[in-house]
Amino acid sequence: MARWVRERYGSLTPPQRMAIGPILSGMNTLVAAPTGSGKTLAAFLPIISELLRAHESGGLGDGVRALYVSPLRALNNDVSKNLLAPLEDMASIHGGALPLRVAVRTGDTPQGQRSGMLRRPPHILITTPETLSIILVAPKFGRLLSSVRWVVVDEVQELSGSKRGTHLSLSLERLEERASGFVRIGLSATIHPLEEVARFLVGYDDEGRERDCVLVDARFVKRAELRVRSPVEDPVRVPTEEASARMYSMLRSIIRRHRTTLIFTNTRSGAERVLYHLSRLGVADAEELATHHSSLSREVRRDVEDRLKSGRLRAVVTSTSLELGIDVGNIDVVVQIGSPKSVSRLLQRVGRSGHSLDRASKGILIAVDRDDIVEDAVIAREALRGHLDRVHIPRGALDVLAQHLVGMSIERRWSVDDAYRVIRRSYPYRDLTIEDLRSVLRYLGGAYEGLEARKVYSKIWYDEEKGEFGRKRGIRPIYYANVGTIPDEAAVRVRTRDGRWVGNLEEEFAERLSPGDVFVLGGGTFRFLKMKGMTAIVERAEGERPTVPSWFSEMLPLSFDTAEAVGEFREEAFRRLASGEDLEGWLRREYPVDGAAARAIASYFRAMDGFLRLLGVEERPGRRAILVERYRSPEGRLYLIFHAVLGRRVNDALSRAYAYAASRRLGTSVPVLSRDSGFAIILPRRAGAEVEPIIGGVSSGSLRDMLVEAVRHTEMAAVRFRHCATRALMILRSYRGRDTSISRRQASAQSLKRLLERTGDFPVLREAYREIVEDVMDVENAAHVLRDVEAGRRRIVLMPEYDLPSPFSHGLVVSGYEDAVLMEDRRRLLESLHESVMRKLEEAGLSRA
């Protein structure tokens, strides 16, 4: 092995040098390092070395010795190839075949290959979280796991922030019951904080003490070159066609200067649009350009990956699907269009370029929108400083717990106390109460009245008096067919009240709709009335302004930590403006921005500063000051606009809470607009004096309960409950070998939710609300902001009422029109608002923008 490393690479990389020793010593290890730094080999070199030593001493045996778990099936195939190649090279050095067997087992593995693994078990098994949970209960294969000595978890940064990671965390604790003391090795790209991610990886022992873990922090061993560019100096006044033409001209220049370019957009539709324009420009031959995103078939994605790896593509446009560690060969430059929304995501994406440690990762961020330019500037500087966003790890998911309890019951009879001991070793369940566990067991044991009448039958037997549970006959095939946490995507049919079909919506978009919301589909505007199964019932709303923009479901939210950094940037920029400093010069010195981007930011802040002086407002919006603008629209409605750069997850929570407080006070529904940089609640004409009581009606102590009430009767609650009920095996995706339709599942979910809302406290319904307020929204950081306000660490400042919105709120206000108009018309609206503001400033002698 040592000879192979010397001949192939010359030396070990820094993460390999740091990780190999602890792993050889049998210590849990988390390796955080960028793409191309040799993380995978850092894990496998010591494992292979130890397996070869075991073979030499005659102790290799036939069981599975090492598990490699990855969220991506494509990555599993990559790793298999990348493991077999060095083993073959080592065999030629050795002068004979090495005895190590490597196999991949996922849901796609044919039955013949699975049977072959029983006859000749692999020493290294490559799998997914879902397949691991199935083989844990497989009568024959499960026994082969008792010899596991190492578990490698790849893409920890992706898994830890989702219920798939929660699911895997419990699987590892169940595996611990079979193969006590195995070494856990986590492989992660750039992530923060490492200590918390390590706790997620290794969990706790039976006494509740944290297990030890060595942190290999090689996150910044690779140099990054980042540049923020704007194709236009005046994003407001330049016509859409010209701005678009300049952006694609900039892209063409970048692609032609580099051998291979990877372009990231934030939406699938954006990726398709960019590829279309690049093809029309003739940037390269048609077969040298491609797109890659999750809506394409697996065969198409794999073909693009192979062509990219072999150097046959000049440019690939993607959304999020190429962020993770699939081997895509040598990428010269990564281009990010628009804001990446978080430092970690930017570094993950840019890290795809310069696929070795001696080559810098090169990233170019291109933005046309003023808020995007500001975000890009802040994110790029934070990345270069090594300031990362904190990961959000879901806590105590009761639907995932229910699924695992069914799996545990298949393994053997359990006492409740013994199961509680195992479950609480998992980091996401460290605070689980025994009553929460018993409530899930009561549901699974069929103790809740009314469920059988709706065809929800018990999944285990549970003797509450003895404190024991176990397998119910016939449950194994149901468990096999329904395991996993990823919800099925569904299309929602849209029909008018008289039954006429209008089109389809993505479910993720439909779940945001509340009765009365107006949206655009097929060029027309429609008012949402209600859901009936998987059909949205609507009525025409000609000429009305949409309240929900159609791109909303695909948009990535700005992370809270990055949003706070943007708030700090606002404060510093306004402070320097007040002192008379040259803002453009400061930006060029301190931030990796080009001249056009610096001028766009400077003019944006000068316009906002002038507007606030016009209104006599002394405060400036930033991290510590939340300005609340009162804009009276031409229709007479009062927009309460909160200038709060907190990220969309926090602003979703705060906007719904304030809207709920307003609707309770005014006796009418109150629409909201929410973005990363702020939010608005739109009050009816008569509203005016109620503003201060509405703002005072939301507190940190009442926030969670208000949010649950605000979403209780929304489509979001209905959809999320269906997802949770499916994970908890209340609603089955597959039964007796046949898949159930999503429309049938949704109808079942609606019926069950109505029953359970009357029943009171039910664990799966409670989990649906927890998921909404904690994982979809960010109630914890929203409450943190409100506590800051209550303690005087942040201020809410009411601005005077005015008939024009401020420059910082133009994007938010126009987003209400976003779908009723084309992008050119949206640009004209923005320009019209901007010119109206500038005229007022000129009349008052305040124009400097």
Side-chain angles (χ1 to χ4, degrees), residues 348-585:
Q348 175 81 7
R349 290 178 171 184
V350 172
R352 306 301 279 152
S353 68
H355 203 91
S356 63
L357 285 181
D358 57 347
R359 291 177 59 197
S361 294
K362 185 175 179 182
I364 298 171
L365 294 82
I366 299 177
V368 178
D369 177 86
R370 293 185 297 184
D371 286 321
D372 276 357
I373 298 171
V374 171
E375 284 180 24
D376 279 355
V378 174
I379 289 170
R381 189 169 85 150
E382 292 293 292
L384 293 172
R385 288 178 161 189
H387 295 171
L388 303 173
D389 320 275
R390 287 167 296 168
V391 67
H392 167 72
I393 299 176
R395 306 284 169 80
L398 299 181
D399 51 351
V400 176
L401 176 61
Q403 191 177 123
H404 269 278
L405 287 169
V406 174
M408 291 167 76
S409 77
I410 296 171
E411 289 179 290
R412 63 178 173 89
R413 176 193 296 251
W414 290 80
S415 74
V416 174
D417 289 342
D418 203 24
Y420 189 49
R421 170 186 62 80
V422 172
I423 291 160
R424 289 190 70 218
R425 293 195 310 230
S426 160
Y427 178 71
Y429 293 96
R430 70 198 184 285
D431 297 324
L432 182 77
T433 65
I434 190 70
E435 186 47 45
D436 277 339
L437 174 58
R438 287 182 182 134
S439 71
V440 176
L441 287 168
R442 280 195 289 271
Y443 142 61
L444 291 172
Y448 285 88
E449 286 186 24
L451 289 180
E452 282 208 3
R454 286 167 173 77
K455 297 183 178 178
V456 177
Y457 303 106
S458 60
K459 306 296 186 297
I460 63 172
W461 61 259
Y462 173 43
D463 188 326
E464 189 159 7
E465 196 172 308
K466 287 185 177 178
E468 292 181 343
F469 68 95
R471 179 177 67 194
K472 191 163 184 186
R473 193 174 165 190
I475 193 62
R476 188 186 294 274
I478 291 174
Y479 179 75
Y480 284 177
N482 291 277
V483 81
T485 61
I486 304 170
D488 291 328
E489 289 188 6
V492 173
R493 293 182 297 277
V494 180
R495 293 186 183 276
T496 56
R497 277 197 282 202
D498 59 8
R500 192 172 63 82
W501 181 72
V502 178
N504 291 335
L505 293 172
E506 286 183 5
E507 185 179 53
E508 194 180 353
F509 173 73
E511 77 173 5
R512 296 273 173 180
L513 297 176
S514 298
D517 273 344
V518 177
F519 64 94
V520 167
L521 184 62
T525 47
F526 297 89
R527 181 179 293 102
F528 174 69
L529 302 175
K530 64 179 180 180
M531 284 292 289
K532 195 172 178 182
M534 291 301 288
T535 301
I537 308 300
V538 301
E539 63 183 10
R540 284 203 164 271
E542 294 298 339
E544 292 199 34
R545 182 184 308 180
T547 57
V548 189
S550 69
W551 41 255
F552 195 90
S553 65
E554 287 191 21
M555 285 298 288
L556 297 166
L558 186 69
S559 75
F560 178 70
D561 293 334
T562 300
E564 290 277 73
V566 174
E568 295 276 6
F569 171 84
R570 283 186 169 188
E571 288 180 5
E572 182 65 13
F574 280 122
R575 188 186 67 75
R576 289 176 182 269
L577 202 56
S579 70
E581 187 173 340
D582 172 22
L583 213 54
E584 291 169 32

Side-chain angles (χ1 to χ4, degrees), residues 26-74:
M27 301 168 81
N28 297 322
T29 305
L30 173 63
V31 184
T35 302
S37 59
K39 287 193 297 286
T40 308
L41 275 179
F44 277 115
L45 286 173
I47 290 172
I48 293 169
S49 178
E50 288 297 285
L51 291 176
L52 292 177
R53 287 184 196 281
H55 167 65
E56 284 182 348
S57 64
L60 184 57
D62 261 347
V64 176
R65 293 305 190 90
L67 277 173
Y68 169 90
V69 185
S70 158
L72 293 177
R73 292 179 188 177

Side-chain angles (χ1 to χ4, degrees), residues 168-245:
L168 175 61
S169 179
L170 279 177
S171 290
L172 293 180
E173 293 311 326
R174 288 169 57 196
L175 179 62
E176 188 78 35
E177 293 294 288
R178 296 250 182 120
S180 179
F182 61 82
V183 177
R184 303 181 193 215
I185 304 162
L187 306 179
S188 176
T190 308
I191 197 168
H192 174 77
L194 290 185
E195 291 79 3
E196 186 178 7
V197 178
R199 291 184 195 107
F200 164 80
L201 174 69
V202 303
Y204 300 80
D205 65 18
D206 284 336
E207 278 68 51
R209 296 181 300 247
E210 291 178 5
R211 294 189 182 108
D212 288 337
C213 184
V214 174
L215 305 182
V216 174
D217 185 1
R219 290 173 294 180
F220 304 105
V221 297
K222 192 175 175 187
R223 196 163 48 88
E225 295 174 2
L226 301 173
R227 193 76 181 153
V228 178
R229 300 179 63 183
S230 174
V232 293
E233 293 186 10
D234 191 342
V236 178
R237 291 191 175 102
V238 173
T240 303
E241 299 88 347
E242 185 180 340
S244 180

Side-chain angles (χ1 to χ4, degrees), residues 189 285 322 355 623 763 824 847:
D285 292 340
L322 285 179
H355 203 91
R623 200 187 76 78
E824 301 88 77
S847 174

Side-chain angles (χ1 to χ4, degrees), residues 35 222 226 251 254-266 271 274-275 278 283 288-293 301 304-309 313-338 345-355 359 361-366:
T35 302
K222 192 175 175 187
L226 301 173
L251 275 176
I254 292 167
I255 291 166
R256 287 184 172 172
R257 286 202 314 272
H258 297 90
R259 195 171 51 236
T260 311
T261 302
L262 185 58
I263 301 167
F264 281 97
T265 65
N266 286 346
V274 170
L275 180 71
L278 291 177
V283 169
E288 293 180 310
L289 301 172
T291 186
H292 187 291
H293 54 74
R301 294 200 304 270
V304 172
E305 291 158 18
D306 290 342
R307 288 158 62 204
L308 188 56
K309 198 185 305 183
L313 290 174
R314 291 291 305 278
V316 173
V317 192
T318 184
S319 51
T320 58
S321 56
L322 285 179
E323 277 182 11
L324 300 185
I326 300 167
D327 185 6
V328 291
N330 292 319
I331 304 294
D332 293 328
V333 64
V334 167
V335 178
Q336 165 69 45
I337 296 177
R345 184 175 293 111
L346 174 66
L347 288 173
Q348 175 81 7
R349 290 178 171 184
V350 172
R352 306 301 279 152
S353 68
H355 203 91
R359 291 177 59 197
S361 294
K362 185 175 179 182
I364 298 171
L365 294 82
I366 299 177

